[in-house]
Amino acid sequence: MPDVLDASPYDALLLLSFGGPEGPDDVVPFLENVTRGRGIPTERLKEVGQHYFLFGGVSPINDQNRALLDALRKDFAEHGLVLPVYWGNRNWAPYLTDTLRDMVRDGRRRILVLATSAYASYSGCRQYRENLADALAALRAEGLELPQIDKLRHYFNHPGFLEPMIDGVIESLADLPEEARAGAHIAFTTHSIPTAAADTSGPVEEHGDGGAYVRQHLDVARLIADAVRERTGIEHPWQLVYQSRSGAPHVPWLEPDICDHLEERHTAGVPAVVMAPIGFVSDHMEVLYDLDTEARAKAEELGLPVRRSATVGADPRFAAAVRDLVLERAADQRGQEVTPCALGALGASHQLCPVGCCPARAPRPAAAGADSPYA
């Protein structure tokens, strides 16, 4: 039997994700949840939902979260970490509030949260924290005792998150036609967000051109590109590009878009491109549609060989990284000296989101931060 690892003072881990429809009838209600409060008509949501209908109305994200749950539970059990793992979503079943209610009724009083977003941004961090605050407010209204909730730090530069992506890029390069392989370009992709949101991402001292969001992605891209060079002996040119833009066309968003980038690289004479979705934990709908469908169609139109490398998903190394993050945070809470594991120039992210970190346009309560009303 493995030695028992100490997760105290925590008594549970919550996997918190975005959620997605699991059938055609779920698509519009799911999109209504995502866009609630924006007044978007149903007919427009049906148009947006075509991406899901192309895949039978099923988002892969839920099955991918189930696989990650299994991987986490397996890793914890094999390494003697006694910590139950729950799962809740922001926008579809199992809903966050329902899961937190179950956790409270199970006697969980000190909960760690793993969000399926590795980087700092409003939509990738603070919005999750706002959803946690909403769920806690609902439980308080029901008269339930509220648990204390902490969120695991950003893990974009943890080796267990990076290593599967490095392997994925190397495998994709090896799968290219031999004559195009050495000169292949790497397009590191992530979700585009409004430039105003990027500029204010991260703690206040990191605000500025692109904020923490862009700096963190650039650091990951450099780490992967350097590792690819060290392991293959070939230095591939690379660029950080964006995908999955939405919203009003007059609002500036991060660019260039992946399809525009493929066209520009083809014009420049690049023989092939590997698309590496470093901004995403799993191969969910935005990866399947925006890269595997739309960007691949653009590449075929151009006659440009492309490959898309895998996301981290439920890789055992990622599960081990989560275990490491849990033990790191637990030791820190017990007052022990901790050396966080992180690669690259930026070092380990903050354990507690400070005041002013990734602010919302309209202030709302957010849990698991220095400004939490539920501390």
Side-chain angles (χ1 to χ4, degrees), residues 96-97 100-101 104 129-147 149 364-367 372-374:
L96 169 60
T97 301
L100 271 183
R101 184 184 299 110
V104 169
R129 293 176 50 223
E130 290 176 352
N131 295 142
L132 285 165
D134 291 343
L136 289 170
L139 298 189
R140 173 175 282 172
E142 296 172 13
L144 294 175
E145 181 181 352
L146 299 188
I149 294 179
R364 288 178 54 195
S372 172
Y374 299 101

PDB file of all heavy atoms in Angstrom, residues 96-97 100-101 104 129-147 149 364-367 372-374:
ATOM      1  N   LEU A  96     -22.995  23.279 -11.127  1.00  0.00           N
ATOM      2  CA  LEU A  96     -22.133  23.610  -9.989  1.00  0.00           C
ATOM      3  C   LEU A  96     -22.906  23.685  -8.680  1.00  0.00           C
ATOM      4  O   LEU A  96     -22.479  23.114  -7.664  1.00  0.00           O
ATOM      5  CB  LEU A  96     -21.423  24.937 -10.274  1.00  0.00           C
ATOM      6  CG  LEU A  96     -20.683  25.592  -9.107  1.00  0.00           C
ATOM      7  CD1 LEU A  96     -19.595  24.678  -8.567  1.00  0.00           C
ATOM      8  CD2 LEU A  96     -20.091  26.930  -9.547  1.00  0.00           C
ATOM      9  N   THR A  97     -24.032  24.389  -8.671  1.00  0.00           N
ATOM     10  CA  THR A  97     -24.783  24.547  -7.420  1.00  0.00           C
ATOM     11  C   THR A  97     -25.246  23.198  -6.885  1.00  0.00           C
ATOM     12  O   THR A  97     -25.166  22.930  -5.676  1.00  0.00           O
ATOM     13  CB  THR A  97     -25.991  25.473  -7.635  1.00  0.00           C
ATOM     14  OG1 THR A  97     -25.520  26.749  -8.085  1.00  0.00           O
ATOM     15  CG2 THR A  97     -26.774  25.663  -6.348  1.00  0.00           C
ATOM     16  N   LEU A 100     -22.181  21.384  -5.410  1.00  0.00           N
ATOM     17  CA  LEU A 100     -21.785  21.947  -4.115  1.00  0.00           C
ATOM     18  C   LEU A 100     -22.770  21.554  -3.021  1.00  0.00           C
ATOM     19  O   LEU A 100     -22.368  21.263  -1.881  1.00  0.00           O
ATOM     20  CB  LEU A 100     -21.682  23.471  -4.210  1.00  0.00           C
ATOM     21  CG  LEU A 100     -20.340  24.063  -4.616  1.00  0.00           C
ATOM     22  CD1 LEU A 100     -20.401  25.583  -4.577  1.00  0.00           C
ATOM     23  CD2 LEU A 100     -19.212  23.561  -3.739  1.00  0.00           C
ATOM     24  N   ARG A 101     -24.054  21.534  -3.347  1.00  0.00           N
ATOM     25  CA  ARG A 101     -25.055  21.109  -2.363  1.00  0.00           C
ATOM     26  C   ARG A 101     -24.793  19.668  -1.928  1.00  0.00           C
ATOM     27  O   ARG A 101     -24.833  19.348  -0.726  1.00  0.00           O
ATOM     28  CB  ARG A 101     -26.456  21.239  -2.961  1.00  0.00           C
ATOM     29  CG  ARG A 101     -27.576  20.914  -1.959  1.00  0.00           C
ATOM     30  CD  ARG A 101     -28.950  20.953  -2.613  1.00  0.00           C
ATOM     31  NE  ARG A 101     -29.255  22.263  -3.149  1.00  0.00           N
ATOM     32  CZ  ARG A 101     -29.323  22.535  -4.459  1.00  0.00           C
ATOM     33  NH1 ARG A 101     -29.079  21.580  -5.360  1.00  0.00           N
ATOM     34  NH2 ARG A 101     -29.612  23.751  -4.872  1.00  0.00           N
ATOM     35  N   VAL A 104     -21.774  19.585   0.419  1.00  0.00           N
ATOM     36  CA  VAL A 104     -22.095  20.046   1.769  1.00  0.00           C
ATOM     37  C   VAL A 104     -22.851  18.959   2.526  1.00  0.00           C
ATOM     38  O   VAL A 104     -22.575  18.673   3.701  1.00  0.00           O
ATOM     39  CB  VAL A 104     -22.914  21.352   1.701  1.00  0.00           C
ATOM     40  CG1 VAL A 104     -23.495  21.697   3.072  1.00  0.00           C
ATOM     41  CG2 VAL A 104     -22.032  22.494   1.209  1.00  0.00           C
ATOM     42  N   ARG A 129     -14.910  32.023 -10.576  1.00  0.00           N
ATOM     43  CA  ARG A 129     -15.022  32.438  -9.189  1.00  0.00           C
ATOM     44  C   ARG A 129     -16.368  33.119  -8.924  1.00  0.00           C
ATOM     45  O   ARG A 129     -16.951  32.964  -7.848  1.00  0.00           O
ATOM     46  CB  ARG A 129     -13.863  33.365  -8.828  1.00  0.00           C
ATOM     47  CG  ARG A 129     -12.485  32.685  -8.838  1.00  0.00           C
ATOM     48  CD  ARG A 129     -11.357  33.680  -8.572  1.00  0.00           C
ATOM     49  NE  ARG A 129     -11.672  34.466  -7.400  1.00  0.00           N
ATOM     50  CZ  ARG A 129     -11.487  35.784  -7.325  1.00  0.00           C
ATOM     51  NH1 ARG A 129     -10.981  36.456  -8.357  1.00  0.00           N
ATOM     52  NH2 ARG A 129     -11.810  36.429  -6.228  1.00  0.00           N
ATOM     53  N   GLU A 130     -16.876  33.866  -9.898  1.00  0.00           N
ATOM     54  CA  GLU A 130     -18.203  34.473  -9.758  1.00  0.00           C
ATOM     55  C   GLU A 130     -19.286  33.395  -9.697  1.00  0.00           C
ATOM     56  O   GLU A 130     -20.245  33.511  -8.912  1.00  0.00           O
ATOM     57  CB  GLU A 130     -18.463  35.417 -10.928  1.00  0.00           C
ATOM     58  CG  GLU A 130     -17.617  36.681 -10.882  1.00  0.00           C
ATOM     59  CD  GLU A 130     -17.801  37.567 -12.100  1.00  0.00           C
ATOM     60  OE1 GLU A 130     -18.483  37.131 -13.058  1.00  0.00           O
ATOM     61  OE2 GLU A 130     -17.275  38.692 -12.108  1.00  0.00           O
ATOM     62  N   ASN A 131     -19.136  32.361 -10.527  1.00  0.00           N
ATOM     63  CA  ASN A 131     -20.098  31.254 -10.489  1.00  0.00           C
ATOM     64  C   ASN A 131     -20.070  30.543  -9.144  1.00  0.00           C
ATOM     65  O   ASN A 131     -21.111  30.112  -8.626  1.00  0.00           O
ATOM     66  CB  ASN A 131     -19.816  30.261 -11.608  1.00  0.00           C
ATOM     67  CG  ASN A 131     -20.027  30.845 -12.987  1.00  0.00           C
ATOM     68  OD1 ASN A 131     -19.279  30.563 -13.911  1.00  0.00           O
ATOM     69  ND2 ASN A 131     -21.038  31.677 -13.149  1.00  0.00           N
ATOM     70  N   LEU A 132     -18.872  30.383  -8.563  1.00  0.00           N
ATOM     71  CA  LEU A 132     -18.770  29.806  -7.226  1.00  0.00           C
ATOM     72  C   LEU A 132     -19.493  30.671  -6.198  1.00  0.00           C
ATOM     73  O   LEU A 132     -20.200  30.160  -5.319  1.00  0.00           O
ATOM     74  CB  LEU A 132     -17.297  29.647  -6.839  1.00  0.00           C
ATOM     75  CG  LEU A 132     -16.541  28.490  -7.498  1.00  0.00           C
ATOM     76  CD1 LEU A 132     -15.038  28.667  -7.321  1.00  0.00           C
ATOM     77  CD2 LEU A 132     -16.989  27.144  -6.910  1.00  0.00           C
ATOM     78  N   ALA A 133     -19.344  31.988  -6.306  1.00  0.00           N
ATOM     79  CA  ALA A 133     -20.037  32.889  -5.382  1.00  0.00           C
ATOM     80  C   ALA A 133     -21.547  32.780  -5.551  1.00  0.00           C
ATOM     81  O   ALA A 133     -22.296  32.785  -4.555  1.00  0.00           O
ATOM     82  CB  ALA A 133     -19.580  34.330  -5.602  1.00  0.00           C
ATOM     83  N   ASP A 134     -22.020  32.684  -6.787  1.00  0.00           N
ATOM     84  CA  ASP A 134     -23.458  32.522  -7.027  1.00  0.00           C
ATOM     85  C   ASP A 134     -23.971  31.230  -6.380  1.00  0.00           C
ATOM     86  O   ASP A 134     -25.050  31.204  -5.777  1.00  0.00           O
ATOM     87  CB  ASP A 134     -23.745  32.482  -8.531  1.00  0.00           C
ATOM     88  CG  ASP A 134     -23.508  33.822  -9.218  1.00  0.00           C
ATOM     89  OD1 ASP A 134     -23.448  34.845  -8.509  1.00  0.00           O
ATOM     90  OD2 ASP A 134     -23.379  33.829 -10.457  1.00  0.00           O
ATOM     91  N   ALA A 135     -23.199  30.146  -6.536  1.00  0.00           N
ATOM     92  CA  ALA A 135     -23.604  28.861  -5.958  1.00  0.00           C
ATOM     93  C   ALA A 135     -23.638  28.929  -4.441  1.00  0.00           C
ATOM     94  O   ALA A 135     -24.570  28.417  -3.795  1.00  0.00           O
ATOM     95  CB  ALA A 135     -22.655  27.755  -6.427  1.00  0.00           C
ATOM     96  N   LEU A 136     -22.637  29.572  -3.852  1.00  0.00           N
ATOM     97  CA  LEU A 136     -22.615  29.706  -2.397  1.00  0.00           C
ATOM     98  C   LEU A 136     -23.787  30.561  -1.900  1.00  0.00           C
ATOM     99  O   LEU A 136     -24.385  30.261  -0.851  1.00  0.00           O
ATOM    100  CB  LEU A 136     -21.284  30.315  -1.953  1.00  0.00           C
ATOM    101  CG  LEU A 136     -20.065  29.403  -2.087  1.00  0.00           C
ATOM    102  CD1 LEU A 136     -18.781  30.187  -1.853  1.00  0.00           C
ATOM    103  CD2 LEU A 136     -20.145  28.218  -1.126  1.00  0.00           C
ATOM    104  N   ALA A 137     -24.136  31.609  -2.650  1.00  0.00           N
ATOM    105  CA  ALA A 137     -25.282  32.434  -2.275  1.00  0.00           C
ATOM    106  C   ALA A 137     -26.568  31.616  -2.299  1.00  0.00           C
ATOM    107  O   ALA A 137     -27.446  31.768  -1.423  1.00  0.00           O
ATOM    108  CB  ALA A 137     -25.389  33.632  -3.211  1.00  0.00           C
ATOM    109  N   ALA A 138     -26.696  30.734  -3.297  1.00  0.00           N
ATOM    110  CA  ALA A 138     -27.887  29.880  -3.387  1.00  0.00           C
ATOM    111  C   ALA A 138     -27.960  28.927  -2.201  1.00  0.00           C
ATOM    112  O   ALA A 138     -29.036  28.718  -1.619  1.00  0.00           O
ATOM    113  CB  ALA A 138     -27.872  29.106  -4.702  1.00  0.00           C
ATOM    114  N   LEU A 139     -26.814  28.352  -1.812  1.00  0.00           N
ATOM    115  CA  LEU A 139     -26.799  27.433  -0.663  1.00  0.00           C
ATOM    116  C   LEU A 139     -27.110  28.177   0.633  1.00  0.00           C
ATOM    117  O   LEU A 139     -27.807  27.651   1.511  1.00  0.00           O
ATOM    118  CB  LEU A 139     -25.451  26.734  -0.566  1.00  0.00           C
ATOM    119  CG  LEU A 139     -25.040  25.833  -1.741  1.00  0.00           C
ATOM    120  CD1 LEU A 139     -23.790  25.046  -1.387  1.00  0.00           C
ATOM    121  CD2 LEU A 139     -26.160  24.907  -2.160  1.00  0.00           C
ATOM    122  N   ARG A 140     -26.594  29.406   0.752  1.00  0.00           N
ATOM    123  CA  ARG A 140     -26.896  30.205   1.949  1.00  0.00           C
ATOM    124  C   ARG A 140     -28.398  30.479   2.039  1.00  0.00           C
ATOM    125  O   ARG A 140     -28.987  30.414   3.125  1.00  0.00           O
ATOM    126  CB  ARG A 140     -26.110  31.505   1.906  1.00  0.00           C
ATOM    127  CG  ARG A 140     -26.477  32.486   3.026  1.00  0.00           C
ATOM    128  CD  ARG A 140     -25.581  33.704   3.009  1.00  0.00           C
ATOM    129  NE  ARG A 140     -24.275  33.417   3.604  1.00  0.00           N
ATOM    130  CZ  ARG A 140     -23.251  34.250   3.581  1.00  0.00           C
ATOM    131  NH1 ARG A 140     -23.370  35.427   2.960  1.00  0.00           N
ATOM    132  NH2 ARG A 140     -22.104  33.925   4.157  1.00  0.00           N
ATOM    133  N   ALA A 141     -29.024  30.778   0.892  1.00  0.00           N
ATOM    134  CA  ALA A 141     -30.468  31.036   0.878  1.00  0.00           C
ATOM    135  C   ALA A 141     -31.268  29.803   1.283  1.00  0.00           C
ATOM    136  O   ALA A 141     -32.387  29.925   1.791  1.00  0.00           O
ATOM    137  CB  ALA A 141     -30.891  31.514  -0.511  1.00  0.00           C
ATOM    138  N   GLU A 142     -30.676  28.627   1.063  1.00  0.00           N
ATOM    139  CA  GLU A 142     -31.334  27.376   1.459  1.00  0.00           C
ATOM    140  C   GLU A 142     -31.068  27.012   2.915  1.00  0.00           C
ATOM    141  O   GLU A 142     -31.576  26.001   3.415  1.00  0.00           O
ATOM    142  CB  GLU A 142     -30.852  26.230   0.557  1.00  0.00           C
ATOM    143  CG  GLU A 142     -31.236  26.396  -0.905  1.00  0.00           C
ATOM    144  CD  GLU A 142     -30.580  25.353  -1.802  1.00  0.00           C
ATOM    145  OE1 GLU A 142     -30.027  24.364  -1.258  1.00  0.00           O
ATOM    146  OE2 GLU A 142     -30.609  25.523  -3.027  1.00  0.00           O
ATOM    147  N   GLY A 143     -30.260  27.834   3.590  1.00  0.00           N
ATOM    148  CA  GLY A 143     -29.977  27.592   4.995  1.00  0.00           C
ATOM    149  C   GLY A 143     -28.883  26.577   5.244  1.00  0.00           C
ATOM    150  O   GLY A 143     -28.737  26.093   6.380  1.00  0.00           O
ATOM    151  N   LEU A 144     -28.084  26.249   4.221  1.00  0.00           N
ATOM    152  CA  LEU A 144     -27.019  25.260   4.379  1.00  0.00           C
ATOM    153  C   LEU A 144     -25.753  25.908   4.910  1.00  0.00           C
ATOM    154  O   LEU A 144     -25.478  27.090   4.657  1.00  0.00           O
ATOM    155  CB  LEU A 144     -26.727  24.583   3.036  1.00  0.00           C
ATOM    156  CG  LEU A 144     -27.863  23.724   2.461  1.00  0.00           C
ATOM    157  CD1 LEU A 144     -27.491  23.219   1.071  1.00  0.00           C
ATOM    158  CD2 LEU A 144     -28.176  22.551   3.383  1.00  0.00           C
ATOM    159  N   GLU A 145     -24.970  25.130   5.630  1.00  0.00           N
ATOM    160  CA  GLU A 145     -23.681  25.615   6.118  1.00  0.00           C
ATOM    161  C   GLU A 145     -22.717  25.720   4.936  1.00  0.00           C
ATOM    162  O   GLU A 145     -22.554  24.764   4.168  1.00  0.00           O
ATOM    163  CB  GLU A 145     -23.120  24.650   7.161  1.00  0.00           C
ATOM    164  CG  GLU A 145     -21.779  25.088   7.733  1.00  0.00           C
ATOM    165  CD  GLU A 145     -21.242  24.101   8.757  1.00  0.00           C
ATOM    166  OE1 GLU A 145     -21.974  23.164   9.138  1.00  0.00           O
ATOM    167  OE2 GLU A 145     -20.062  24.270   9.160  1.00  0.00           O
ATOM    168  N   LEU A 146     -22.075  26.863   4.783  1.00  0.00           N
ATOM    169  CA  LEU A 146     -21.218  27.068   3.627  1.00  0.00           C
ATOM    170  C   LEU A 146     -19.816  26.513   3.864  1.00  0.00           C
ATOM    171  O   LEU A 146     -19.218  26.742   4.919  1.00  0.00           O
ATOM    172  CB  LEU A 146     -21.116  28.555   3.284  1.00  0.00           C
ATOM    173  CG  LEU A 146     -22.420  29.261   2.917  1.00  0.00           C
ATOM    174  CD1 LEU A 146     -22.135  30.665   2.421  1.00  0.00           C
ATOM    175  CD2 LEU A 146     -23.196  28.475   1.870  1.00  0.00           C
ATOM    176  N   PRO A 147     -19.264  25.824   2.874  1.00  0.00           N
ATOM    177  CA  PRO A 147     -17.880  25.354   2.990  1.00  0.00           C
ATOM    178  C   PRO A 147     -16.907  26.484   2.652  1.00  0.00           C
ATOM    179  O   PRO A 147     -17.282  27.478   2.017  1.00  0.00           O
ATOM    180  CB  PRO A 147     -17.812  24.258   1.922  1.00  0.00           C
ATOM    181  CG  PRO A 147     -18.764  24.732   0.861  1.00  0.00           C
ATOM    182  CD  PRO A 147     -19.884  25.422   1.594  1.00  0.00           C
ATOM    183  N   ILE A 149     -13.915  27.563   0.300  1.00  0.00           N
ATOM    184  CA  ILE A 149     -13.484  27.134  -1.030  1.00  0.00           C
ATOM    185  C   ILE A 149     -12.222  27.871  -1.434  1.00  0.00           C
ATOM    186  O   ILE A 149     -12.142  29.104  -1.325  1.00  0.00           O
ATOM    187  CB  ILE A 149     -14.602  27.378  -2.068  1.00  0.00           C
ATOM    188  CG1 ILE A 149     -15.796  26.477  -1.780  1.00  0.00           C
ATOM    189  CG2 ILE A 149     -14.092  27.143  -3.486  1.00  0.00           C
ATOM    190  CD1 ILE A 149     -16.954  26.660  -2.729  1.00  0.00           C
ATOM    191  N   ARG A 364     -19.075  41.974  -9.709  1.00  0.00           N
ATOM    192  CA  ARG A 364     -19.920  40.941  -9.112  1.00  0.00           C
ATOM    193  C   ARG A 364     -19.107  40.229  -8.041  1.00  0.00           C
ATOM    194  O   ARG A 364     -17.885  40.141  -8.149  1.00  0.00           O
ATOM    195  CB  ARG A 364     -20.361  39.919 -10.169  1.00  0.00           C
ATOM    196  CG  ARG A 364     -21.380  40.410 -11.160  1.00  0.00           C
ATOM    197  CD  ARG A 364     -21.695  39.312 -12.169  1.00  0.00           C
ATOM    198  NE  ARG A 364     -22.096  38.067 -11.517  1.00  0.00           N
ATOM    199  CZ  ARG A 364     -22.145  36.889 -12.139  1.00  0.00           C
ATOM    200  NH1 ARG A 364     -21.785  36.786 -13.407  1.00  0.00           N
ATOM    201  NH2 ARG A 364     -22.537  35.805 -11.484  1.00  0.00           N
ATOM    202  N   PRO A 365     -19.759  39.699  -7.020  1.00  0.00           N
ATOM    203  CA  PRO A 365     -19.017  38.949  -5.995  1.00  0.00           C
ATOM    204  C   PRO A 365     -18.325  37.738  -6.617  1.00  0.00           C
ATOM    205  O   PRO A 365     -18.864  37.085  -7.522  1.00  0.00           O
ATOM    206  CB  PRO A 365     -20.118  38.503  -5.020  1.00  0.00           C
ATOM    207  CG  PRO A 365     -21.253  39.425  -5.264  1.00  0.00           C
ATOM    208  CD  PRO A 365     -21.197  39.792  -6.712  1.00  0.00           C
ATOM    209  N   ALA A 366     -17.130  37.446  -6.134  1.00  0.00           N
ATOM    210  CA  ALA A 366     -16.359  36.293  -6.612  1.00  0.00           C
ATOM    211  C   ALA A 366     -15.763  35.581  -5.412  1.00  0.00           C
ATOM    212  O   ALA A 366     -15.169  36.208  -4.535  1.00  0.00           O
ATOM    213  CB  ALA A 366     -15.261  36.738  -7.568  1.00  0.00           C
ATOM    214  N   ALA A 367     -15.931  34.259  -5.376  1.00  0.00           N
ATOM    215  CA  ALA A 367     -15.392  33.464  -4.275  1.00  0.00           C
ATOM    216  C   ALA A 367     -13.937  33.113  -4.531  1.00  0.00           C
ATOM    217  O   ALA A 367     -13.406  33.354  -5.614  1.00  0.00           O
ATOM    218  CB  ALA A 367     -16.233  32.198  -4.091  1.00  0.00           C
ATOM    219  N   SER A 372     -13.083  37.890  -1.757  1.00  0.00           N
ATOM    220  CA  SER A 372     -14.249  37.029  -1.601  1.00  0.00           C
ATOM    221  C   SER A 372     -15.086  37.419  -0.384  1.00  0.00           C
ATOM    222  O   SER A 372     -14.550  37.607   0.707  1.00  0.00           O
ATOM    223  CB  SER A 372     -13.814  35.563  -1.449  1.00  0.00           C
ATOM    224  OG  SER A 372     -14.923  34.748  -1.105  1.00  0.00           O
ATOM    225  N   PRO A 373     -16.415  37.516  -0.556  1.00  0.00           N
ATOM    226  CA  PRO A 373     -17.278  37.756   0.607  1.00  0.00           C
ATOM    227  C   PRO A 373     -17.506  36.486   1.426  1.00  0.00           C
ATOM    228  O   PRO A 373     -18.188  36.534   2.458  1.00  0.00           O
ATOM    229  CB  PRO A 373     -18.588  38.234  -0.032  1.00  0.00           C
ATOM    230  CG  PRO A 373     -18.615  37.576  -1.383  1.00  0.00           C
ATOM    231  CD  PRO A 373     -17.179  37.489  -1.810  1.00  0.00           C
ATOM    232  N   TYR A 374     -16.935  35.356   0.949  1.00  0.00           N
ATOM    233  CA  TYR A 374     -17.138  34.075   1.627  1.00  0.00           C
ATOM    234  C   TYR A 374     -15.839  33.555   2.228  1.00  0.00           C
ATOM    235  O   TYR A 374     -15.669  32.353   2.404  1.00  0.00           O
ATOM    236  CB  TYR A 374     -17.708  33.043   0.647  1.00  0.00           C
ATOM    237  CG  TYR A 374     -19.048  33.456   0.090  1.00  0.00           C
ATOM    238  CD1 TYR A 374     -19.150  34.006  -1.182  1.00  0.00           C
ATOM    239  CD2 TYR A 374     -20.198  33.290   0.843  1.00  0.00           C
ATOM    240  CE1 TYR A 374     -20.379  34.390  -1.684  1.00  0.00           C
ATOM    241  CE2 TYR A 374     -21.436  33.671   0.355  1.00  0.00           C
ATOM    242  CZ  TYR A 374     -21.508  34.217  -0.922  1.00  0.00           C
ATOM    243  OH  TYR A 374     -22.739  34.600  -1.416  1.00  0.00           O
TER     244      TYR A 374
END
